[in-house]
């Protein structure tokens, strides 16, 4: 593939993902209103699901590509926290009031991944445990967020009222949600294909490719999912996407990989990727605990990702 075609696919995918995210946002808000659930909960359950990430992880695990399989979990989650949240906050600071137990779930979910790294091959019983923890966490998120307003400013509240005044039928909001999820996935796939072909000629080492490059390419649309709702004042949807996606990555995706296609655990995953994920998640939790992820916090998270890449280059 020519470099110009790769760039064209990358740009087209990004534009498509932005458009689809706006449709998805309309659908999530409408579903929240129709089902009497918070937009945060709907965003966590629906927007957080990353079908392409699941497919990459299971496919790589089945073909013995442990670096790519584990990269879809660890690399993807680190990209989500550092780049999607960091760049999103740098562009549009996130202001949200989340219940402390939800933040504790967010902070503890990557810690559980350590159970899957205790043996040379990921043990299947840990997969069952992680999937059970995922189900319990998601149920709690939905229950704990009922009838809750996680937004902080009167300006944002006025935008909520405006959004709620635009009533759509249940069929329409379901259609918008499905359309948004599908087209965001298509846009994300175009972005990933373009990005992978742009970097194909650089001779990147396998583990750096598995843990950094491939997850970043697959999850580039997460930046859009974080930034677009915040730009429109729906910080609760951005927060729901962040927390839901992390739970999917750490508990659901990793649980499925361990249960269906156990993979070999390289020492670098245990000594670098896992503790780094725990550290940046705790850092993000501190910002969210204060109710705001501002531009300074966003810059710090982005800088952390640069450090992560440098460490992978050094210890490859």
């Amino acid at each position: 593939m020519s470099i110009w075609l790769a760039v064209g696919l990358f740009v087209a995918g990004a534009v498509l993902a932005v458009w689809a995210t706006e449709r998805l946002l309309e659908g999530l808000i409408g579903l929240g209103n129709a089902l009497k659930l918070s937009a945060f909960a709907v965003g966590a359950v629906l927007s957080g699901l990353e079908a392409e990430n699941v497919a990459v992880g299971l496919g790589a695990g089945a073909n013995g590509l442990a670096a790519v399989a584990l990269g879809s979990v660890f690399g993807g989650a680190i990209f989500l926290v550092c780049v999607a949240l960091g760049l999103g906050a740098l562009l549009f600071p996130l202001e949200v009031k989340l219940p402390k137990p939800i933040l504790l779930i967010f902070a503890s979910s990557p810690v559980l991944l350590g159970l899957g790294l205790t043996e040379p091959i990921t043990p299947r019983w840990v997969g069952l445990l992680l999937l059970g923890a995922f189900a319990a966490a998601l149920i709690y998120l939905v229950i704990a967020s009922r009838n809750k307003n996680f937004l902080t400013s009167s300006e944002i509240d006025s935008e909520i009222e405006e959004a709620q005044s635009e009533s759509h039928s249940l069929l329409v909001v379901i259609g918008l949600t499905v359309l948004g999820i599908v087209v965001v996935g298509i846009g994300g796939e175009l972005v990933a294909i373009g990005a992978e072909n742009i970097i194909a000629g650089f001779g990147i080492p396998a583990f750096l490719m598995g843990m950094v490059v491939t997850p970043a390419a697959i999850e580039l649309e997460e930046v859009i999912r974080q930034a677009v709702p915040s730009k429109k004042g729906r910080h609760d949807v951005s927060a729901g996407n962040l927390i839901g996606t992390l739970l999917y990555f750490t508990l659901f995706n990793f649980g499925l990989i361990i249960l269906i296609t156990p993979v070999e655990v390289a020492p670098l995953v245990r000594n670098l990727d896992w503790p780094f994920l725990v550290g940046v998640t705790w850092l993000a939790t501190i910002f969210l605990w204060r109710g705001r992820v501002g531009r300074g916090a966003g810059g710090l998270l982005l800088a952390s990702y640069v450090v992560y890449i440098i460490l992978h280059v050094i210890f490859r």
Side-chain angles (χ1 to χ4, degrees):
M1 180 183 295
S2 72
I3 188 66
W4 293 113
L5 178 56
V7 170
L9 289 175
F10 184 91
V11 172
V15 171
L16 193 60
V18 170
W19 178 86
T21 299
E22 292 181 349
R23 305 291 80 76
L24 177 60
L25 177 59
E26 293 178 40
L28 293 176
I29 294 172
L31 274 178
N33 294 336
L35 301 176
K36 308 300 181 185
L37 296 173
S38 68
F40 168 86
V42 179
V45 174
L46 295 180
S47 183
L49 174 61
E50 294 282 330
E52 67 273 19
N53 187 279
V54 176
V56 168
L58 290 177
N63 287 284
L65 302 173
V68 176
L70 294 177
S72 71
V73 175
F74 293 89
I78 290 170
F79 182 88
L80 171 74
V81 175
C82 291
V83 181
L85 176 60
L87 185 55
L90 200 61
L91 296 171
F92 309 104
L94 181 66
E95 297 184 12
V96 64
K97 300 180 299 184
L98 295 176
K100 299 304 185 286
I102 289 179
L103 291 176
L104 292 176
I105 290 173
F106 176 73
S108 62
S109 62
V111 177
L112 290 176
L113 298 191
L115 294 173
L117 307 178
T118 55
E119 299 180 16
I121 303 293
T122 52
R124 278 194 163 94
W125 68 267
V126 176
L128 288 173
L129 178 65
L130 293 179
L131 290 172
F134 171 77
L138 225 56
I139 290 170
Y140 177 79
L141 254 61
V142 172
I143 295 173
S145 62
R146 288 183 68 90
N147 303 316
K148 292 280 197 319
N149 175 21
F150 295 154
L151 304 176
T152 58
S153 72
S154 58
E155 179 183 354
I156 294 174
D157 289 340
S158 66
E159 294 195 23
I160 295 175
E161 292 173 1
E162 180 183 347
Q164 291 177 336
S165 66
E166 298 176 1
S167 58
H168 295 295
S169 68
L170 182 59
L171 187 61
V172 169
V173 298
I174 291 175
L176 285 170
T177 303
V178 173
L179 174 68
I181 291 174
V182 171
V183 179
V184 164
I186 294 172
E189 185 66 20
L190 291 177
V191 167
I193 292 172
E196 287 182 2
N197 281 277
I198 289 171
I199 62 175
F202 288 94
I204 298 173
F207 221 84
L208 184 63
M209 189 74 178
M211 278 291 174
V212 177
V213 178
T214 301
I218 294 172
E219 301 306 327
L220 274 174
E221 83 272 10
E222 279 300 325
V223 177
I224 298 168
R225 292 196 196 201
Q226 283 298 122
V228 170
S230 288
K231 178 185 178 184
K232 293 181 173 293
R234 293 306 311 214
H235 298 239
D236 52 344
V237 176
S238 291
N241 175 74
L242 170 70
I243 291 176
T245 303
L246 187 73
L247 292 179
Y248 272 106
F249 280 178
T250 56
L251 303 181
F252 183 74
N253 295 13
F254 195 38
L256 280 181
I257 290 171
I258 292 176
L259 188 63
I260 298 174
T261 60
V263 294
E264 183 179 353
V265 178
L268 193 61
V269 178
R270 189 182 300 111
N271 299 328
L272 172 59
D273 300 288
W274 175 55
F276 199 93
L277 173 58
V278 172
V280 294
T281 303
W282 286 3
L283 180 61
T285 303
I286 291 172
F287 298 140
L288 291 167
W289 198 282
R290 292 160 40 199
R292 176 180 170 83
V293 186
R295 288 190 170 90
L300 182 57
L301 290 170
L302 283 172
S304 299
Y305 195 69
V306 174
V307 172
Y308 176 64
I309 294 174
I310 292 172
L311 289 174
H312 254 287
V313 171
I314 293 173
F315 295 109
R316 67 188 183 189

